[in-house]
Amino acid sequence: MALFFHGSSVLFDSFDLSHALEGDGKAKFGYGVYVAGTYASAAHYAFNKKRPENRDYYVYTVEIPDCTEDNCLSLLKGQPVAESIIRRTEQRLGEAVPDEAKVEGKYFRKYLANRLTGLTKSVGRMIDKASVEGEKAASAFLDSIGVELIRWPHDWGSPEGEMNMAVLDAAKVRIVRIERVELDAKKHQLVPGSQRLVKTF
């Protein structure tokens, strides 16, 4: 298991994907529980533009499955989808995945999202955009073939640095500790030393 962090302006005891779109309302990196590689990043994400009246901010320290080539879809630019993930996908779908969808995780995820929701367009269009319903379908499919995580860099200019993750099944996120934090009013960054323990599990 790996330790990651989740920021929220809501206090809760377990993750529930029915609330997944209550942040910015998007599934930009896939549909799942989003966690950050560093505490400070999670604290920053605790500010919710849709609920600016919420002035309480929390950082959840969580355990998630370790990321391996077999269970983790990487969205790194230029990194092809792992052969084991392609093989399991093709076995389940009963058809070949187009080459254009294999070259990067982003394209693969979008292709699956559109394919699973019955959209029939050119491959170029199928790897370009997907609906939220499609993203949900893609995440459920990936989880069903053993892909538990989607990962991407916090800073796309430094792909070897901090990684963020989407955990596709909320039941695979175990809360270890919850802390209340303060954020500065201007940039919503963590105020150093402001952490106060709320609860441990």
Side-chain angles (χ1 to χ4, degrees), residues 121-165:
K121 306 187 254 188
S122 68
V123 173
R125 292 185 65 195
M126 288 182 75
I127 65 174
D128 183 39
K129 293 179 182 175
S131 67
V132 169
E133 289 307 311
E135 292 284 7
K136 288 181 181 180
S139 286
F141 177 90
L142 288 168
D143 187 57
S144 77
I145 63 166
V147 178
E148 302 172 291
L149 308 162
I150 296 173
R151 72 177 183 133
W152 65 94
H154 173 72
D155 178 357
W156 290 93
S158 301
E160 300 306 315
E162 172 194 343
M163 287 289 165
N164 293 334
M165 300 273 190

Side-chain angles (χ1 to χ4, degrees), residues 44 47 49 55 57 183-191:
H44 175 68
F47 177 75
K49 294 177 186 175
R55 300 292 182 185
Y57 307 112
L183 306 179
D184 73 72
K186 188 176 267 190
K187 294 189 176 179
H188 312 296
Q189 300 295 328
L190 175 67
V191 174

Side-chain angles (χ1 to χ4, degrees), residues 1 14-15 33 35 62-65 167 169-175:
M1 301 294 281
S14 62
F15 284 90
V33 175
V35 295
V62 301
E63 283 185 344
I64 67 170
V167 186
D169 179 353
K172 294 176 181 173
V173 183
R174 187 179 82 80
I175 300 173

Side-chain angles (χ1 to χ4, degrees), residues 4-12 39-40 42-43 46 56-62 175-183 190 193-201:
F4 275 75
F5 308 93
H6 177 85
S8 178
S9 63
V10 177
L11 186 61
F12 51 83
Y39 192 99
D56 293 331
Y57 307 112
Y58 303 96
V59 173
Y60 295 75
T61 301
V62 301
I175 300 173
V176 175
R177 182 172 59 251
I178 307 172
E179 292 170 304
R180 185 175 176 176
V181 299
E182 294 177 20
L183 306 179
L190 175 67
S194 67
Q195 301 96 313
R196 297 292 179 268
L197 181 65
V198 174
K199 192 173 183 180
T200 57
F201 293 78

